[in-house]
Amino acid sequence: QVQLVESGGGLVPPGGSLRLSCVASRAILSVFNTYDMAWYRQAPSKQRELVATISSGNTITYADSVKGRFTISKNNSRKTVYLQMNNLKSEDTGVYYCSATTPTGGPYWGQGTQVTVSS
């Protein structure tokens, strides 16, 4: 069972920055390296949407709405994936979820972390 723990959310004014982290706390290091990781978000009364992905081979994709503002990265030795969010806008508000897809199953989800962009 893959366990993901997100952190780093909070309240930030428009134009501000946050860095989210997601740790695969129970993963064996060599196994984490095979995971495809992603960040999703869900705004109130809206469907969950894909924000960014990073594959086990480090191929990266972004939603058009965050290109140029968000950066996804990972540190395999720490079994952690990050989402650096700059120039935040009110429409970025929502609960951000980390997900992992393994060679044998998934996606697995974290509990989510709240991001609120407001003055």
Side-chain angles (χ1 to χ4, degrees):
Q1 183 72 19
V2 177
Q3 183 174 35
L4 304 172
V5 180
E6 300 106 329
S7 62
L11 172 64
V12 62
S17 298
L18 283 174
R19 188 175 82 155
L20 306 183
S21 300
C22 170
V23 179
S25 57
R26 294 182 178 177
I28 298 171
L29 184 57
S30 61
V31 174
F32 177 78
N33 294 344
T34 67
Y35 293 177
D36 293 329
M37 304 296 296
W39 286 98
Y40 287 74
R41 67 186 180 190
Q42 188 166 17
S45 304
K46 292 188 176 180
Q47 289 189 331
R48 192 173 296 188
E49 64 172 350
L50 180 64
V51 175
T53 69
I54 183 165
S55 73
S56 58
N58 290 321
T59 298
I60 291 173
T61 65
Y62 295 101
D64 287 343
S65 59
V66 306
K67 282 181 181 176
R69 300 187 298 121
F70 290 13
T71 302
I72 189 171
S73 62
K74 63 178 178 174
N75 185 321
N76 286 332
S77 65
R78 295 185 176 185
K79 300 178 291 183
T80 301
V81 63
Y82 303 98
L83 186 68
Q84 177 67 43
M85 306 186 294
N86 298 326
N87 191 21
L88 282 159
K89 305 176 181 180
S90 58
E91 52 263 43
D92 296 317
T93 293
V95 179
Y96 282 68
Y97 297 91
C98 174
S99 78
T101 301
T102 77
T104 58
Y108 301 94
W109 299 92
Q111 82 287 351
T113 185
Q114 176 70 45
V115 171
T116 303
V117 184
S118 175
S119 55

